[in-house]
Amino acid sequence: AAGLATAVADSSCDAGMGTGLVGLSNLGNTCYLASAVQCLSHTPSLSSTLRETESAKGVSRACSDLLRALWSPSSSSSEGPSSKASPVAPRQLKAAVAEHARAFAGYE
């Protein structure tokens, strides 16, 4: 599994997306949300479009901000996956999704 994660990170770096070695914190019932975000963040055209969007609102804005945090060089160290990079908490995205899907309301 570690080899697969490295291959995905390497291919993303080749696409000019940055390091992308930061994961997401689970905020209660967000494990499926985090999985979907990780998949979407590894879709180069979608990820780059969302990260470059400044005028988005609601869920799109929250997703855009989250992807920027996941892929920003300051989110993870240049030392690689063994560094002490902290996971990103998807609070803003969870709150934006909860406005439309009450199953995500509550917890943290």
Side-chain angles (χ1 to χ4, degrees):
L4 177 60
T6 301
V8 169
D10 289 345
S11 67
S12 298
C13 287
D14 292 343
M17 296 174 66
T19 55
L21 298 175
V22 178
L24 294 163
S25 298
N26 189 348
L27 302 177
N29 60 348
T30 60
C31 57
Y32 292 113
L33 178 68
S35 295
V37 168
Q38 288 288 10
C39 290
L40 294 173
S41 78
H42 284 86
T43 306
S45 59
L46 177 63
S47 181
S48 64
T49 298
L50 282 171
R51 287 183 295 119
E52 294 168 2
T53 300
E54 295 293 331
S55 62
K57 295 180 180 164
V59 174
S60 296
R61 177 57 180 238
C63 191
S64 176
D65 291 346
L66 182 58
L67 291 180
R68 274 202 265 336
L70 287 173
W71 291 101
S72 77
S74 62
S75 295
S76 60
S77 170
S78 60
E79 296 172 22
S82 62
S83 68
K84 297 197 188 304
S86 297
V88 175
R91 284 184 179 85
Q92 182 183 2
L93 179 59
K94 181 180 179 282
V97 170
E99 290 179 17
H100 304 283
R102 299 304 306 161
F104 287 98
Y107 296 97
E108 289 187 36

